[in-house]
Amino acid sequence: MTRHAALAARYGTPLYVYDLDEVALARHELFTALPDGAELFYAFKANPHPELARALREGGERGCRAEISSTGELAAALTAGYRAEECLYTGPGKTIGELHEAIGRGVRVFSTDSVTDVRRVGAVAAAHGVVADCLLRINSADASATTSIRMTGTPSQFGFDSETLAEAMPSLRRADGVRLAGMHLFPLSNARDEDALIGEFEHTIELAARLSAALELPLRLLDIGGGFTAPYGVPGRRGSYPNLRDRLETALDRHLPGWRSGAPRIAFESGRFLVGAAGTLVTEVSNVKISRGRRYVIVDAGINTFGGMSGLGRLMPVAVALELEPDGPTERGTLVGPLCTPGDLLGREIALPADLEPGDLVEIPNTGAYGVTASLLMFLGRPAPLEVLLRSGEVVSASRIEHHRSHQPVPYARTVVEAGALG
Ligand SMILES: *Cc1c(COP(=O)(O)O)cnc(C)c1O
């Protein structure tokens, strides 16, 4: 029996298995590819499992910080051992309530997307008697590379448009409770082409240096984003970036010569590259049926367990493929989940082992990022999958996300109805 089959027998399916050794390896690979002394923020969005995040923080100088965007991710980061000062809080719609919680718990660095956002961070920081560092997220007017997802150069809820930032500066400078501390750019995601990625980073460095000089904007921290690639639900290896380090060091020496002594500090961000390959989703075949000549293999994990976000149509379309035995017989089939919707499709007419039967296991590789929490967990009311973590082949954690309805007192229901608030 394989290790995954043994785990499935012990814990049941669907089951996510994460290998912490693989997480450590990915972290090592990425730090090695980055300029000397660069900082790396782990994007909790990719997988907020605290034990996975904890493994990314280990490693001293080469440990990750946390990029978070909600109070839930903040709680996960603190549980995982990140100190609040190691967190960068991002997002275009921060509310006063969440800012009170974040600042109250010690978060001091925010990526901000508008004048309102900066003012709001400042007002809450001032109410707590502290000063918060704001990075200005920049939506660059021009771009250097073409990639799958462009998040700059077009209208966006993210960031300040670079061409009109100058007009916003007087208001930004007047905001209480904040110190303008640098810039944040995140121009692209999942870049398979190293040259394109480097080109984008070079553009970012040049733009940040230019804006900082032209607007006298202090640059203590420059977060130049990420875009490091990893396969999603298909076999394969994460990206490799053999030239990145040298070329970025050259660009930094040219445009921001103080960077080697930490002025500015340089930071990157990554989610999928760090955790994608660590995960395998182990599912069990519940049924195999033929409909008008097409073979349907129904497994116990659907878009409630993996790939629900593909409904967004742009982030990560799910089209899984399996790691097959080199000489094993295969047969096409459509891999679907158990949900009562034809949209519960994992892979259409893909190569599957021949003769799959109910009770057989199907393993979907590279599912450590954008798995559980990027799925339609509540849809159709099935339990969330179990998540098991291995270190050196040993299980070190096994848990499951629970969702339940929490009833609130309703003493004012009558008043609300009378006031017409429901009508
Ligand atoms: C989603 C996100 C990331 C992580 O993206 P990956 O493609 O998983 O590396 C990093 N930074 C920000 C600001 C993000 O929104």
Side-chain angles (χ1 to χ4, degrees):
M1 202 189 279
T2 66
R3 174 175 296 147
H4 287 169
L7 290 170
R10 178 153 151 211
Y11 291 105
T13 56
L15 175 71
Y16 275 91
V17 182
Y18 306 121
D19 183 350
L20 293 179
D21 301 329
E22 188 64 31
V23 172
L25 187 63
R27 183 186 45 144
H28 172 77
E29 279 177 26
L30 193 47
F31 268 105
T32 305
L34 297 179
D36 215 16
E39 297 170 19
L40 180 59
F41 285 96
Y42 171 54
F44 268 59
K45 178 180 69 192
N47 190 332
H49 194 302
E51 296 312 313
L52 215 64
R54 188 189 301 280
L56 285 165
R57 184 177 178 275
E58 291 163 1
E61 284 280 285
R62 292 182 149 203
C64 294
R65 293 158 180 262
E67 189 266 306
I68 54 174
S69 191
S70 67
T71 52
E73 288 187 346
L74 171 59
L78 296 175
T79 303
Y82 291 77
R83 288 180 294 118
E85 310 88 83
E86 296 166 353
C87 296
L88 167 65
Y89 203 107
T90 67
K94 302 174 203 75
T95 63
I96 298 277
E98 73 182 299
L99 287 169
H100 270 295
E101 183 161 343
I103 290 173
R105 297 184 85 169
V107 177
R108 291 291 178 271
V109 190
F110 294 84
S111 167
T112 49
D113 296 83
S114 62
V115 172
T116 308
D117 202 21
V118 172
R119 284 195 184 131
R120 203 172 273 180
V121 169
V124 176
H128 285 255
V130 300
V131 174
D133 277 341
C134 284
L135 304 183
L136 303 182
R137 184 160 171 175
I138 305 296
N139 178 6
S140 172
D142 50 330
S144 71
T146 46
T147 41
S148 50
I149 307 179
R150 280 228 53 89
M151 285 194 278
T152 56
T154 50
S156 170
Q157 73 267 50
F158 296 110
F160 292 83
D161 295 342
S162 58
E163 67 278 22
T164 55
L165 180 59
E167 295 158 29
M169 285 311 294
S171 317
L172 295 175
R173 286 190 210 288
R174 277 198 305 275
D176 285 333
V178 299
R179 176 171 79 161
L180 302 182
M183 291 179 226
H184 173 208
L185 291 96
F186 187 69
L188 61 112
S189 206
N190 209 15
R192 287 186 188 83
D193 179 47
E194 184 182 27
D195 279 334
L197 185 66
I198 292 173
E200 197 74 47
F201 283 146
E202 287 171 341
H203 170 71
T204 291
I205 291 165
E206 189 270 322
L207 174 69
R210 182 157 44 87
L211 286 176
S212 167
L215 306 177
E216 292 175 36
L217 185 62
L219 200 52
R220 291 188 170 80
L221 175 61
L222 174 60
D223 178 348
I224 67 178
F228 308 103
T229 188
Y232 182 60
V234 296
R237 283 276 303 159
R238 54 185 167 262
S240 85
Y241 300 99
N243 305 308
L244 186 88
R245 178 190 173 104
D246 280 354
R247 286 183 53 189
L248 289 196
E249 289 188 354
T250 304
L252 288 166
D253 285 339
R254 171 132 129 247
H255 297 289
L256 297 168
W259 77 279
R260 286 185 192 269
S261 48
R265 288 157 48 206
I266 304 296
F268 294 81
E269 302 171 347
S270 174
R272 73 188 71 212
F273 185 97
L274 291 169
V275 295
T280 306
L281 173 56
V282 185
T283 69
E284 187 180 290
V285 177
S286 333
N287 201 359
V288 179
K289 65 165 283 191
I290 309 290
S291 167
R292 306 214 160 105
R294 180 174 286 190
R295 187 167 71 126
Y296 284 87
V297 174
I298 302 160
V299 294
D300 59 7
I303 55 173
N304 56 328
T305 307
F306 180 70
M309 292 266 290
S310 59
L312 299 181
R314 58 192 298 239
L315 271 185
M316 295 141 296
V318 71
V320 312
L322 308 185
E323 205 99 57
L324 297 165
E325 300 278 328
D327 313 314
T330 64
E331 209 181 308
R332 301 236 136 225
T334 292
L335 196 66
V336 299
L339 305 186
C340 288
T341 161
D344 193 16
L345 177 71
L346 297 177
R348 194 190 300 276
E349 291 292 292
I350 61 170
L352 295 169
D355 305 325
L356 275 177
E357 289 180 359
D360 289 348
L361 296 181
V362 168
E363 297 189 10
I364 305 176
N366 288 312
T367 49
Y370 304 109
V372 181
T373 59
S375 298
L376 299 175
L377 271 186
M378 304 277 289
F379 194 37
L380 290 216
R382 285 168 187 271
L386 214 91
E387 297 172 86
V388 162
L389 280 83
L390 306 180
R391 194 189 287 269
S392 310
E394 298 292 323
V395 175
V396 292
S397 156
S399 65
R400 180 201 304 285
I401 294 173
E402 296 284 351
H403 25 262
H404 64 275
R405 186 176 301 277
S406 140
H407 283 275
Q408 306 289 310
V410 285
Y412 298 112
R414 236 175 87 99
T415 329
V416 170
V417 174
E418 280 168 2
L422 297 183

